[in-house]
Amino acid sequence: MAVVHLDLYSYELAMNTQITLLLPERRGVPHTSRQGQPYPVLYLLHGHGQDHTSWLRLTRLESYLQNTDVVVVMPNGSRGCYVDGEQSHRYGTYLTEELPLALGNWFHLSPRREDTFIAGMSMGGYGALRAAMAHPERYAAAAGLSTAVRLDQMRDLPRAAERGLAIPPLEEVDRNFRCIFGPENAYESSPYSLKALARQLNDASGPKPQLLQLCGDDDPLLPANEDLAAFFVDHCPNLDHTFQIDPGMHNFDYWDQAIRTALTFFGLPHT
């Protein structure tokens, strides 16, 4: 596939930022016009402490999508959790509004909801599920891989580091989460809560994206994912939700396989 490393200025973030894109490219085949046939797009989000190059460097994503007609957009979300924080950057608006508009102007992307998908791992899994539930009119489906259901509680998990989840025990990390999510006792009723968004979407009219949760059986975030999946079953009967546990830890060996499951779920061709 063609690889584009894009540096741009974001009005919503008020700073320069980066995106890596995979663009369709068929080896040994002449280029032909696709006028009137824009490409479906997958927004693929990285985890905490990673960046826009992580999926391309640490998985076989490009190999899986060779000779397929899909554009993959991998933005740099820094440690912003893909939300408009209480006292931090507007990564939520950047992801769901500014970025699609800018890329739609520059690349041959389909504007249709039916052609738009979003997925991510860990922090990116949270960001993907949250974006889809907060903006169901924008996405046909979303997948959370090893979703960090409550990012501000991950450091207290037993054996987390040895099972792949390593967040430094720094006050800076805690301060960052407080600036994003605000007081802990207000979280579950806030617009940051996946459960609150799920209940709201369940009760709303209008389109509802398909939702996929994937998690490894030795992932320290598995209990939180099981709890979220049970919430969907018990309280959100109107949502099309799937939860699947497979062998794996909180690492790229697992995500390399899980992204293929997500691509199948989205109906996107891959090897």
Side-chain angles (χ1 to χ4, degrees), residues 64-115:
Y64 297 149
L65 292 173
Q66 278 187 357
N67 296 320
T68 61
D69 291 334
V70 59
V71 171
V72 184
V73 176
M74 293 165 280
N76 188 347
S78 187
R79 292 186 293 134
C81 302
Y82 305 103
V83 300
D84 292 354
E86 292 287 311
Q87 303 177 53
S88 63
H89 295 87
R90 292 169 54 84
Y91 277 102
T93 300
Y94 167 69
L95 172 67
T96 61
E97 297 183 25
E98 183 182 25
L99 186 57
L101 182 60
L103 295 180
N105 289 336
W106 297 333
F107 297 94
H108 197 49
L109 306 183
S110 173
R112 302 194 319 151
R113 174 183 181 269
E114 303 94 302
D115 295 332

Side-chain angles (χ1 to χ4, degrees), residues 3 5 20 22 52-59 61-62 74:
V3 180
H5 299 289
T20 297
L22 288 178
H52 56 293
T53 69
S54 297
W55 276 105
L56 194 58
R57 290 189 297 111
L58 299 171
T59 74
L61 177 69
E62 183 178 5
M74 293 165 280

